[in-house]
Amino acid sequence: MSTLPTWGTLYLVPTPLDFGCDSQAPLSDVLPQATLQVASQTTHWITENAKSTRAFLKRVDSVLPLALPVQQLTITELPREVHKKGDHAGQFDAKPLLKTALTGQDIALVSEAGMPAVADPGSSVVRAALELGLRVVPLIGPVSLLLALAASGLNGQNFAFVGYLPQDATARTQRMRELEALALKTGQTQLFIETPYRNQALWEGLLRGLHSSTRLARASGLTLPSMDVSCRSVQAWRNEPSAISGQPTVFAIGK
């Protein structure tokens, strides 16, 4: 009698949101025991950045011992064009990265911060796993977009994440006004992010380019003691100018 093959599971492992920040939250404060348990026992990883993944796993090891030393774990980076430009459009075939799962090995997918494949690379790996018939299990942990949205007071029943705004000032102003018009017409909250060192330029552009009555939120340092989440009208922000944090930040436009 033939038996079905035993395949591994693809785990989606969230990581703390303090990547690139000056301080770190205790790991057990942001990741539940069950997530840490899976991370500690998984020996095959797919990531956008091997260095940050090794640093994360060393933190895991300080809470729960790893199955193998970090140096002996198999950590495979997504190709540069994937983790720099994203893989949500479907051009990248990630099936070769999952071949060990077909021999019964569990694999973990991880990004530098937060939930992989949400505002981060990894969706191609998830698609490939589903096409191969692998079990895909998302684990519990922080998702910056949802934390920012919940804390903003903006519409959490209808929202969209639109990625990054253009770097060019003229194109950025045009795009933010398009998003503003959509938010005001439909009530749909518009969420977006920026590379931290460009936060200030984006922020100044938002205050110059948006209507005074539009609601504008920013959420920096989520889950950290330095967390700063505020939502005001653009006019109120203009009346009390303040520099923005150089930490990872989620921005939102709403009605």
Side-chain angles (χ1 to χ4, degrees), residues 84-98:
K84 291 298 182 185
K85 298 182 179 180
D87 58 346
H88 51 277
Q91 294 94 339
F92 176 66
D93 181 10
K95 291 188 183 72
L97 301 180
L98 297 167

Side-chain angles (χ1 to χ4, degrees), residues 28-108:
S28 56
D29 284 359
V30 293
L31 294 176
Q33 185 77 6
T35 296
L36 292 171
Q37 185 68 41
V38 170
S40 70
Q41 295 304 303
T42 303
T43 58
H44 289 70
W45 293 77
I46 299 173
T47 178
E48 61 176 314
N49 186 293
K51 182 178 179 181
S52 65
T53 298
R54 284 191 288 268
F56 165 64
L57 290 170
K58 288 177 181 177
R59 292 173 69 180
V60 173
D61 191 46
S62 69
V63 179
L64 288 174
L66 300 179
L68 293 174
V70 171
Q71 297 82 357
Q72 296 179 25
L73 298 175
T74 301
I75 301 177
T76 303
E77 283 190 346
L78 290 165
R80 180 177 175 82
E81 64 271 16
V82 169
H83 68 77
K84 291 298 182 185
K85 298 182 179 180
D87 58 346
H88 51 277
Q91 294 94 339
F92 176 66
D93 181 10
K95 291 188 183 72
L97 301 180
L98 297 167
K99 59 184 179 181
T100 55
L102 302 180
T103 67
Q105 292 280 355
D106 292 336
I107 298 178

Side-chain angles (χ1 to χ4, degrees), residues 92-173:
F92 176 66
D93 181 10
K95 291 188 183 72
L97 301 180
L98 297 167
K99 59 184 179 181
T100 55
L102 302 180
T103 67
Q105 292 280 355
D106 292 336
I107 298 178
L109 175 66
V110 70
S111 68
E112 290 185 320
M115 177 65 75
V118 177
D120 265 322
S123 57
S124 62
V125 180
V126 177
R127 281 196 303 273
L130 294 172
E131 289 172 6
L132 290 170
L134 300 178
R135 182 169 174 252
V136 176
V137 177
L139 299 180
I140 296 172
V143 182
S144 61
L145 301 179
L146 295 182
L147 294 174
L149 178 63
S152 71
L154 297 175
N155 188 352
Q157 304 300 315
N158 184 9
F159 58 92
F161 171 63
V162 299
Y164 292 84
L165 272 55
Q167 292 183 35
D168 175 77
T170 301
R172 183 174 62 219
T173 298

Side-chain angles (χ1 to χ4, degrees), residues 153-155 183-189 213-216 253-255:
L154 297 175
N155 188 352
L184 296 180
K185 179 180 179 180
T186 67
Q188 183 183 71
T189 301
S213 60
T214 297
R215 303 280 298 170
L216 176 61
I253 297 171
K255 195 172 181 179

